[in-house]
Amino acid sequence: MTLRRRAMGALEEHVMDYLWAVDAPASAADVQHAVAPELAYTTMTTVLTRLVDKGRLERARVGRSFVYSPVRSEAEHRAATMTDTLGAAVDRTAVLSRFIDSLATDDVDVLRRILDEDH
């Protein structure tokens, strides 16, 4: 049996989105101010620590505090999520077919171009 990491909650997603957008290490105070200023600072540090424990963020000491940055880019994270979902499917062909059917025409064109160029 393979242990799977629990999916990220909405607040964790917002934190990750912010850190991917700024594309630079950020302090807990920076993240709190940008993502959820209504939350207590300690709540934000708890969320950040959990993301570190889950392997999604890394932290580095700067002075007396820490700064946080994503371990993987957003593209790497989203691709891994898609791969995990596909890997859990009983009928991979059906899942891929439904996925392609759900794409906008522009996305199908991009996918065709990527497959033609890279594979």
Side-chain angles (χ1 to χ4, degrees):
M1 180 175 162
T2 302
L3 293 176
R4 297 171 66 113
R5 292 191 189 275
R6 194 169 66 175
M8 287 192 288
L11 181 55
E12 290 176 341
E13 280 284 349
H14 291 305
V15 167
M16 294 302 300
D17 289 343
Y18 170 75
L19 290 169
W20 285 320
V22 298
D23 197 27
S27 69
D30 293 337
V31 176
Q32 178 201 16
H33 178 73
V35 174
E38 72 282 2
L39 294 180
Y41 175 81
T42 54
T43 301
M44 185 55 66
T45 59
T46 298
V47 170
L48 291 165
T49 299
R50 286 183 181 160
L51 287 166
V52 169
D53 293 344
K54 290 178 180 182
R56 293 187 174 108
L57 293 180
E58 58 189 7
R59 70 179 168 203
R61 184 169 289 282
V62 174
R64 293 176 35 184
S65 61
F66 292 101
V67 292
Y68 299 84
S69 54
V71 170
R72 297 188 291 190
S73 70
E74 181 183 14
E76 291 167 328
H77 170 73
R78 303 284 182 211
T81 300
M82 292 165 63
T83 300
D84 290 347
T85 299
L86 185 58
V90 173
D91 186 347
R92 293 169 64 105
T93 300
V95 172
L96 284 169
S97 179
R98 294 286 181 156
F99 175 70
I100 292 167
D101 289 344
S102 72
L103 294 175
T105 303
D106 291 346
D107 291 334
V108 172
D109 293 342
V110 169
L111 184 56
R112 278 194 181 108
R113 189 173 59 248
I114 291 168
L115 289 171
D116 289 344
E117 291 173 2
D118 293 344
H119 298 87

